[in-house]
Amino acid sequence: MSRPVNLADFLPPYLAEVEELLGLAHTQLLTLETAARGGAPQPRAVRELFRVLHTIKGLSAMVDVEPVVALTHLMEASVRAADRAGGKLPPASIEPLLQGLKAVEVRVRALGAGKPVPPAPSALLDALEGLEGAERRAAPRAAAPAEVQFDLEPALASKLSASEREQLTQGVQGGRRALRVDFAPSPQRSAAGLTINTVRERVSQVAEIVKVVPLSRPGGAPGSGLVFALLVLSSGPDAALAAAVEVAPAEVRLVAQPPPPPEEDAALASGALAGDLSADPSSDLAGVLPEAPLDEEVAPQRHGIVRVETARLDEAMERLAALVVTRSRLQRAAAALTASGANTRELVQILQENARQLRDLRAAIVRVRMVKVGEVLERLPLIVRGLRRSTGKQVALQLELGAAELDKAVGDRLFPAIVHLVRNAVDHALEPPEERRRAGKPEEGLLRIVCRERSNSQLEVQVSDDGRGVDAAAVARRAGVPVPQSDEELLELLCRPGLSTREEVTTTSGRGMGMDIVKRIAVDQLGGELRLQTEAGVGTTFTLRVPLTISIVDAFVFESGQQRYAVPVATVEELVEVDAARLVRGPGGAEARGEVQILERRGQAVPLLRLATVLGQPAGEGGGQKALVVRQRGEPVAFAVDRMLGQQEIVIRPLEDVLVKVRGVSGATDLGDGRPTLVLDLIALGGGAAAEAQRRERVS
Amino acid sequence: MAEVLVVDDSKMMRDMVVACLRAEPGLSFTHASSGLEAIERLSLKPFDLVVLDLNMPDIGGVEVVEFVRSQDTLRSLPIVIVTTRGDEESRARVLAAGANRFMTKPFTPEGILGEVRGLLGAKGAP
């Protein structure tokens, strides 16, 4: 008898899925807000927003979160009305809908934190309820008759909804061609990975899909008569579309094409007209359109994607680490066999193969952890929107996020730092409209965020504004120090922890508030760099460079020789108490690297080294009562430390500088207080001394 | 072994449906995340029952039902619609199109299990 189903068990996937859906809803809503300013209907965004809200409602009903069901039900009704109005969401609806999403988010977070979920605010419910009626009344029921003729067979034409027809018309009037291409699924194609899902994904890279209609073709073999007709809008060559569906270019059929431009405009039309801009996202001009709507090209394609909680990925990584440890034991055992004269040739070959497979597996797991930088920063437009409202400033946001991918853990740490820079730029750096006018600048300030992959290991993020620039003299005056002579010195001053608390500095200098936090995240936690370029009256650019991946491990933290160190737990075999009375002085007396003593552990003699001595430091207080046992070349070695401080998760950043690269030091970490702490590799450290002691012990 | 096709764009919802139906022995499950994928799968392999969501990107459940019922080979395939409150107006349309049952979310494990058992049991009956 199987265990009865408890739908409450689905809470973790619920939280993950709703979070993702809320992100999508925000994106669509901001697209609609941008479109509303330009007056263009956005039937696709409206339909997608409706679907997302509807899904949140259904999921919330299943896990019994009634306040969220109530909120999404009303939001959905208002969006449905907009869909019926041909994809036009009135600008006045945006704010209540955003508030609705916020209210949903607050409730879902409460649920995730195990707190009671508050009922939906009745004022908000009333406002949302009012929207539907307003949208119905505003709906221009009779849309202007389409001037575009579509060459479609009746079976297909009858499947198009009004908003899909509108979408096609708009696309064609905007200069794109409406095309049809058919995909016939088959068991062979499915086995080769060519399915309607992969075809849709591939087609959406080269064209905008308006509708896919399944059609059955009579006369074929049983079960083989199915054909999917894809109706798309495209400004690219037919060949690209044909290749995406794996058919001959001749099978791409024209459904409608844009009317030829009037003769006097023909010369102009060859240039970058507005119509071309929306059609070609790669054109340079498209990139500088203020806050380009996050449409087809930018919205993440979520088909064929599996959501995984980060904790599960961490778990996979841990399992892999265990496998690596077992492998090295296996390797040692094989080496011992070889040493004893056994024929281990095949075994050694298998081990080599195994090492390669483990490396591949590690690379695969690391890849799984990667997320697109666009996904990490998808909420920035929403944040800027909020800042626009709270400051009353006009800000155009330009995002050039590119396709770089980074470790989810890096993304999670990086996001708050970027939000900080964005907030500072809008709050302090960009001048109010009248000040900008006086300075001869456009009233609308510009905030630009550019991400690019600098190498296969580093991401560069630039946050630029065209604001007033940092006033170095003002910052220095308030800090009571000489005026910095370079941008580097100025940045150092701005990142002083105490500085940002001085309110006046921040408002007069154009920057401030929490720059120490940004530096802490970028430099100390992620092992990256932070740079500043600023010019009075012209603007400021902050550049962050961070590694694309980081390794997070569980570590012991301890003190030795008045210094603090960390050691990955996985490398430590045992943590032992050192009983001074039971120590045996090792043979050979005092050594250059310290006296070796022998510790008895379960009947085995284990050389004990004082870590401080190995590191060439004076021993601290605490007397070395604790020791970490590791295995060096298969033999246990104990390192006595002065004081154990605990166990915690640390982010290891590599020491790339060759001058700092030292045997036995695998990197550095920040334990949260801003002080760098070295991460030791005890297995590599003092290996010689311990091996020597071991040898002598055996001899004696 | 009866083959069940579970269609919903939400993975959590598909997992929930499968979790509820696992209590019935002898069922094996295939997932589809969109209406188009469902139609494709139905064309590639025979199924004994479909559990179908209505609101999905690309084409909705109503269109899936209409398509399925237009196919000679799929005319008698049992279809359970599982959908969210607010789709009441779709109910008449989807039942007219030929869906066998219409359930509203939230459903209970017993509720959906009862519908599925009923449909699978009745299938062999004359």
Side-chain angles (χ1 to χ4, degrees):
Chain A
M1 184 69 195
S2 60
R3 195 171 70 91
V5 183
N6 183 358
L7 296 183
D9 291 346
F10 283 86
L11 199 57
Y14 169 80
L15 296 172
E17 199 162 318
V18 170
E19 190 190 334
E20 183 179 299
L21 291 166
L22 282 171
L24 274 174
H26 276 126
T27 304
Q28 302 301 341
L29 206 44
L30 293 179
T31 302
L32 289 168
E33 185 183 34
T34 311
R37 274 189 246 147
Q42 288 279 332
R44 277 177 55 80
V46 168
R47 254 180 286 150
E48 179 65 5
L49 180 60
F50 175 78
R51 185 188 68 82
V52 165
L53 291 169
H54 191 78
T55 305
I56 296 178
K57 184 173 85 169
L59 296 177
S60 304
M62 289 307 295
V63 294
D64 197 18
V65 200
E66 188 47 41
V68 174
V69 175
L71 279 163
T72 43
H73 182 66
L74 292 175
M75 293 166 75
E76 182 194 84
S78 124
V79 177
R80 192 199 299 262
D83 184 36
R84 287 176 181 161
K88 285 189 183 129
L89 193 67
S93 302
I94 304 277
E95 190 54 38
L97 287 172
L98 276 173
Q99 281 180 23
L101 289 180
K102 182 85 202 156
V104 169
E105 196 170 357
V106 166
R107 277 150 192 82
V108 172
R109 291 241 166 98
L111 188 70
K115 293 180 188 150
V117 178
S122 54
L124 179 57
L125 291 177
D126 290 346
L128 290 171
E129 193 157 16
L131 290 181
E132 188 189 355
E135 276 159 23
R136 283 243 166 91
R137 284 191 298 279
R141 282 308 312 169
E147 292 160 25
V148 178
Q149 287 299 312
F150 298 112
D151 179 16
L152 283 174
E153 62 186 272
L156 212 54
S158 68
K159 296 284 180 196
L160 286 179
S161 71
S163 69
E164 285 156 352
R165 206 168 264 277
E166 167 97 23
Q167 189 183 348
L168 275 177
T169 305
Q170 265 181 51
V172 170
Q173 284 171 342
R176 284 183 285 174
R177 293 180 307 147
L179 301 167
R180 170 185 169 182
V181 61
D182 288 0
F183 167 69
S186 71
Q188 295 76 25
R189 288 183 158 176
S190 173
L194 196 66
T195 65
I196 185 61
N197 281 350
T198 54
V199 164
R200 288 181 92 250
E201 215 168 305
R202 289 157 61 165
V203 168
S204 67
Q205 306 287 322
V206 296
E208 178 183 333
I209 300 177
V210 177
K211 179 81 175 174
V212 185
V213 182
L215 297 169
S216 75
R217 290 270 169 266
S224 70
L226 176 66
V227 168
F228 289 109
L230 291 93
L231 287 180
V232 306
L233 287 164
S234 165
S235 54
D238 289 359
L241 184 59
V245 192
E246 296 192 8
V247 295
E251 291 191 40
V252 175
R253 281 173 271 181
L254 186 69
V255 171
Q257 61 181 336
E263 292 217 352
E264 59 269 33
D265 293 343
L268 278 172
S270 60
L273 278 179
D276 288 348
L277 284 178
S278 59
D280 180 6
S282 66
S283 104
D284 287 336
L285 281 166
V288 298
L289 279 178
E291 216 172 328
L294 298 165
D295 58 9
E296 183 81 3
E297 282 74 29
V298 188
Q301 289 292 321
R302 313 227 178 208
H303 286 284
I305 287 177
V306 177
R307 252 180 314 275
V308 185
E309 292 151 51
T310 320
R312 291 197 192 177
L313 295 177
D314 291 344
E315 192 185 321
M317 204 58 148
E318 265 173 47
R319 297 268 184 273
L320 177 70
L323 211 54
V324 172
V325 172
T326 313
R327 201 200 84 87
S328 49
R329 281 178 56 197
L330 203 59
Q331 211 166 17
R332 280 200 300 272
L337 264 183
T338 312
S340 71
N343 178 5
T344 54
R345 239 182 68 191
E346 199 184 344
L347 184 62
V348 168
Q349 269 172 9
I350 295 172
L351 274 170
Q352 279 168 353
E353 174 73 8
N354 180 243
R356 195 182 54 73
Q357 287 165 340
L358 275 179
R359 269 198 308 277
D360 291 350
L361 182 59
R362 183 178 178 280
I365 293 180
V366 167
R367 270 203 304 280
V368 169
R369 297 178 58 97
M370 304 298 265
V371 289
K372 284 218 166 60
V373 70
E375 273 170 54
V376 174
L377 301 182
E378 70 179 357
R379 296 183 73 103
L380 282 181
L382 190 69
I383 289 166
V384 171
R385 183 184 188 276
L387 289 168
R388 264 189 218 119
R389 294 171 58 82
S390 64
T391 61
K393 294 178 185 174
Q394 297 173 30
V395 188
L397 175 66
Q398 271 182 23
L399 291 174
E400 288 172 40
L401 301 182
E405 295 192 333
L406 69 170
D407 189 300
K408 176 92 170 66
V410 177
D412 287 349
R413 284 170 164 79
L414 186 63
F415 183 63
I418 293 175
V419 168
H420 228 99
L421 291 175
V422 164
R423 190 156 298 192
N424 273 350
V426 179
D427 276 349
H428 308 305
L430 292 177
E431 312 87 335
E434 61 278 14
E435 192 183 327
R436 289 182 65 88
R437 224 178 14 248
R438 277 199 303 276
K441 295 182 184 181
E443 282 186 13
E444 189 177 57
L446 179 66
L447 179 62
R448 192 157 173 261
I449 298 167
V450 181
C451 297
R452 54 175 88 88
E453 212 170 325
R454 273 180 51 84
S455 62
N456 56 8
S457 65
Q458 243 193 359
L459 177 76
E460 182 176 278
V461 185
Q462 284 191 323
V463 180
S464 316
D465 64 67
D466 68 346
R468 47 169 79 104
V470 185
D471 183 345
V475 178
R477 200 163 51 241
R478 293 293 168 184
V481 296
V483 178
Q485 292 304 304
S486 65
D487 283 348
E488 289 83 56
E489 284 176 32
L490 177 58
L491 178 65
E492 204 169 298
L493 184 57
L494 283 175
C495 292
R496 278 196 189 175
L499 187 85
S500 58
T501 55
R502 298 174 181 227
E503 187 57 33
E504 268 179 292
V505 174
T506 69
T507 46
T508 57
S509 66
R511 280 291 167 172
M513 297 312 266
M515 280 307 298
D516 56 323
I517 298 167
V518 176
K519 181 173 177 249
R520 167 89 65 85
I521 293 172
V523 180
D524 301 337
Q525 291 186 1
L526 292 174
E529 280 177 59
L530 175 65
R531 287 190 191 173
L532 162 73
Q533 264 181 306
T534 186
E535 195 175 329
V538 176
T540 305
T541 297
F542 282 95
T543 305
L544 287 121
R545 281 185 195 163
V546 296
L548 295 173
T549 56
I550 46 172
S551 41
I552 302 175
V553 298
D554 215 18
F556 289 123
V557 181
F558 54 84
E559 258 178 18
S560 175
Q562 289 160 347
Q563 291 281 332
R564 217 172 38 176
Y565 299 99
V567 164
V569 168
T571 63
V572 176
E573 190 167 283
E574 197 180 350
L575 200 60
V576 295
E577 296 281 339
V578 178
D579 182 355
R582 299 186 57 192
L583 285 181
V584 182
R585 173 164 295 190
E591 301 253 330
R593 308 188 72 175
E595 188 182 55
V596 178
Q597 293 182 302
I598 302 296
L599 173 84
E600 195 241 311
R601 188 184 69 149
R602 294 189 286 276
Q604 192 185 15
V606 177
L608 175 74
L609 301 165
R610 187 98 191 223
L611 184 62
T613 319
V614 174
L615 295 170
Q617 291 169 327
E621 288 156 22
Q625 282 149 3
K626 292 267 186 195
L628 305 161
V629 180
V630 299
R631 270 187 193 269
Q632 290 179 336
R633 295 179 202 144
E635 302 293 343
V637 179
F639 287 92
V641 303
D642 294 339
R643 199 154 63 95
M644 288 304 297
L645 297 175
Q647 189 176 335
Q648 73 177 80
E649 208 179 47
I650 60 164
V651 175
I652 301 183
R653 56 191 174 86
L655 296 171
E656 298 291 1
D657 190 340
V658 281
L659 293 174
V660 198
K661 241 178 193 167
V662 178
R663 184 183 163 86
V665 177
S666 54
T669 189
D670 173 34
L671 298 175
D673 59 1
R675 278 195 293 156
T677 299
L678 289 180
V679 182
L680 298 180
D681 177 358
L682 290 182
I683 296 173
L685 193 69
E692 180 65 6
Q694 202 93 35
R695 191 186 61 77
R696 290 203 191 123
E697 168 68 8
R698 264 188 234 112
V699 171
S700 67
Chain B
M1 183 66 82
E3 298 279 351
V4 180
L5 181 63
V6 182
V7 192
D8 200 309
D9 53 326
S10 159
K11 178 176 185 301
M12 168 189 160
M13 196 57 79
R14 296 196 302 270
D15 288 346
M16 271 190 162
V17 169
V18 171
C20 294
L21 297 183
R22 277 212 191 285
E24 177 72 5
L27 297 185
S28 108
F29 301 94
T30 302
H31 290 234
S33 62
S34 72
L36 294 173
E37 189 188 348
I39 288 177
E40 182 178 51
R41 290 193 180 277
L42 289 169
S43 82
L44 297 177
K45 167 183 147 175
F47 284 89
D48 300 289
L49 183 115
V50 180
V51 179
L52 182 66
D53 180 31
L54 280 191
N55 208 283
M56 292 179 286
D58 58 48
I59 68 170
V62 177
E63 285 171 272
V64 175
V65 175
E66 285 169 351
F67 182 83
V68 164
R69 291 298 180 241
S70 73
Q71 305 297 299
D72 286 341
T73 48
L74 300 173
R75 218 173 282 281
S76 58
L77 176 68
I79 301 177
V80 181
I81 301 292
V82 176
T83 190
T84 305
R85 180 162 70 96
D87 285 326
E88 283 83 2
E89 55 190 281
S90 312
R91 177 192 284 260
R93 208 180 136 200
V94 81
L95 289 176
N100 302 68
R101 300 280 191 279
F102 190 101
M103 298 190 67
T104 307
K105 299 168 191 171
F107 54 81
T108 61
E110 304 72 38
I112 188 167
L113 203 54
E115 297 288 8
V116 166
R117 275 187 186 135
L119 281 173
L120 285 173
K123 207 175 64 116

